[in-house]
Amino acid sequence: MKMNPQKTTLPDNPAEIELSGMAPRATGLVQWRRAWASLVRARTPLFGLIVIVCVILVALFAPLLAPHNPENQELRSRLKPPFWVEGSDPNYILGTDALGRDLLSRLIYGARISLLVGFVTAGISGVVGIILGLLAGYFGGLVDSLISRLIDIQLAFPFVLLALTLVAILGGGLLNVILVLGIGGWMAFARIIRVDTLSLKHREFIIAAHCLGVPTHRIILRHILPNVLAPMIVIGSFSVSTNIIYEAALTFLGVGVSAEIPTWGSMLADGRDYLGTGWWISTLPGLAIMVTVIGINFLGDWFRDVLDPRIGFSR
Amino acid sequence: MTRYLVSRLIQSVIAIIGIMVVVFFILRLTGDPVWLMLPPEATQEDYEAMKTFLGMDRPLHEQFLTYMWNAAQGDFGKSLRFRGQSALGLVVERFPATIELATVALLISITFAFPLGIIAAVKRHSIWDNVASILAVIGQAMPNFWLALMFISIFSVQLGILPTSGRSGVKSIILPALTLALFNLARTTRIVRSSMLEVLGEDYVRTARAKGLRERAVVLTHAMRNAMLPVVTLIGLDMGTLLGGAVVTETVFAWPGIGFLAIGSIYVRDFPVVQAVVFFTALFFVVINLIVDVIYSFLDPRIRLG
């Protein structure tokens, strides 16, 4: 790392070092209170928050909430429509599918897979992206070119096709879907972290830490990481929502999560052959995906407004 | 400029090779691809025959070199599903259908996105602005395979006015193109709107207004022409996104393009074709990206490549 000692004037008081090094993004209790106020004032993020909390609760308490066993096939009550359509069965509020399975219960259990995949993949992408972004931004040079090229390569390729090919080769299943989507989605995180790290690394407080003999890994973890973390919440939330859609797409195409587990994607696929006689079978899970994704995106938009207006939609 | 192009070209070639290498090794390291490509009832003799046919009986490094050498010449081997046909040939044969679909979808989305985005920017907080933002929210959140099913359910099953699948006549392209267009429409509207908003705040727009030009002229000639720059780039890149989205859409509508070919080949483990599709798409993507970059530098002389 190159330094320019003439330019750096260190304050005498160490507290000032920290202060002058604070990122322009506001933190602290006041900010959170202000953020909360804006959350309640604006209607869309509040709607988003309510949706997310509901879906999470539904997923957590699925066994208590589901009126039937989602796997239970009741062949005598196949293709029952939801309650607002004539011919519905009060036992099955949202109707049944072609095998007589209760759609409401399947939707409730499906929320588990969607949320699990969405959050875990975003977590994996986040960790990989943050590590690679920090390395690229801090060390520069060859490390940076390598990682930047990798970002370009992956961004320059239709992700659906790549994910599809990889999942097909590796074999489907929950774990492989999570791995492919998780590892495949790191670029958005790395790109932002890299740029932020680049701009931070020449700030006075980093140079000061360096002069004081703080080891590199400590500088990266203690001084840079906390200051570049905020935008990751924004990217993370959009990553959750995109990956929920990707998982549903892979499962719908028959290469994703096993068809035996009730998921929104597999329900959509189940209804594909019954568009005439049971349109609700694929309509309902699609709506569930859409409402969940809209909720997460609303929250993401709000995070962006509060934390960092620079970031656009990714992928 | 030339220097920039050359370095971009080298980068692109590396990118394509990278993707090919990843697919090659994952395919071979995660189990025996020979068994993957055989039906479950295959015998040991079938296995040996297939192994020789694929050249898998040779050491890994030799296989890799042969594979790369053949790939460089556009030879990805023969399709297992369509006996005897060259894998790349199949892809090239299906490509026009995909391009047709993507182009129609792009035209649909541009036709609606431009007026909507411009009106939304000019009349902020009006009903059109609201329509544009609702569209953006829904378009971003709606899975396109679900939209495809809903279209089929309404227009083919209930109303019976449009075919459910296939590629025959003008009618059959309407639903797949609309499905593919919607996501794009939402995105393009957003970008036209924000780009217009930015330009409308510029000094030259204020000057145009100050000298008494009609609002129409200010918006359409002064503001719009400048606002189109980022939009044009994006549309070029969207051609690539459309190709990705086409994989799913083509499958639902059985549209005989490369996406449908890819899925079909993945199902029956016809890996030579899968590899050819991946290669071809990567190549197409890289070329599009390169063209967009060059066009951009011509459109805006302030941008210097290199």
Side-chain angles (χ1 to χ4, degrees), chain B residues 250-265:
Chain B
E250 281 180 5
T251 310
V252 181
F253 289 103
W255 183 263
I258 54 171
F260 189 44
L261 177 72
I263 300 271
S265 308

Side-chain angles (χ1 to χ4, degrees), chain A residues 209-278:
Chain A
H210 207 78
C211 294
L212 291 170
V214 181
T216 308
H217 68 268
R218 215 181 141 84
I219 293 185
I220 294 180
L221 289 179
R222 286 289 172 85
H223 297 268
I224 291 184
L225 186 62
N227 285 311
V228 293
L229 223 44
M232 293 305 105
I233 302 176
V234 183
I235 308 228
S237 52
F238 291 121
S239 172
V240 172
S241 60
T242 358
N243 284 345
I244 287 179
I245 294 184
Y246 279 139
E247 179 270 315
L250 290 176
T251 308
F252 172 75
L253 290 172
V255 296
V257 179
S258 142
E260 279 145 34
I261 310 170
T263 63
W264 293 344
S266 68
M267 291 173 72
L268 264 163
D270 289 341
R272 203 176 150 179
D273 296 328
Y274 299 92
L275 289 176
T277 45

Side-chain angles (χ1 to χ4, degrees), chain A residues 51-247:
Chain A
V51 167
I52 302 311
V53 169
C54 286
V55 178
I56 290 176
L57 288 178
V58 163
L60 281 179
F61 299 107
L64 298 175
L65 292 169
H68 297 267
N69 181 340
E71 305 294 345
N72 215 11
Q73 303 181 5
E74 196 64 61
L75 290 175
R76 271 165 306 176
S77 29
R78 300 168 67 229
L79 296 172
K80 290 280 177 208
F83 68 91
W84 64 88
V85 181
E86 214 174 308
S88 63
D89 184 329
N91 272 327
Y92 305 102
I93 300 172
L94 292 181
T96 58
D97 66 7
L99 295 171
R101 294 177 293 194
D102 179 43
L103 281 183
L104 177 62
S105 310
R106 290 179 73 73
L107 279 176
I108 289 174
Y109 274 89
R112 293 186 144 185
I113 302 293
S114 283
L115 286 189
L116 180 77
V117 172
F119 282 100
V120 175
T121 52
I124 297 174
S125 304
V127 171
V128 176
I130 288 169
I131 293 175
L132 291 180
L134 281 173
L135 292 178
Y138 191 80
F139 292 107
L142 187 65
V143 182
D144 185 23
S145 340
L146 264 177
I147 292 172
S148 296
R149 284 301 80 73
L150 212 58
I151 295 176
D152 289 345
I153 291 175
Q154 258 193 285
L155 282 179
F157 196 78
F159 185 69
V160 182
L161 188 58
L162 196 63
L164 205 70
T165 314
L166 291 183
V167 173
I169 296 171
L170 293 169
L174 190 57
L175 186 67
N176 283 344
V177 169
I178 289 179
L179 280 180
V180 168
L181 292 182
I183 296 174
W186 61 281
M187 302 86 67
F189 293 90
R191 220 164 34 156
I192 300 283
I193 287 274
R194 177 182 164 270
V195 174
D196 282 4
T197 309
L198 269 177
S199 71
L200 266 183
K201 111 180 153 180
H202 295 298
R203 296 276 291 274
E204 287 88 348
F205 73 110
I206 299 294
I207 295 169
H210 207 78
C211 294
L212 291 170
V214 181
T216 308
H217 68 268
R218 215 181 141 84
I219 293 185
I220 294 180
L221 289 179
R222 286 289 172 85
H223 297 268
I224 291 184
L225 186 62
N227 285 311
V228 293
L229 223 44
M232 293 305 105
I233 302 176
V234 183
I235 308 228
S237 52
F238 291 121
S239 172
V240 172
S241 60
T242 358
N243 284 345
I244 287 179
I245 294 184
Y246 279 139
E247 179 270 315

Side-chain angles (χ1 to χ4, degrees), chain B residues 14-36:
Chain B
I14 295 175
I16 294 176
I17 293 176
I19 288 172
M20 300 311 295
V21 171
V22 167
V23 172
F24 176 90
F25 279 105
I26 290 188
L27 188 54
R28 276 157 187 82
L29 294 181
T30 53
D32 195 340
V34 182
W35 280 121
L36 287 181

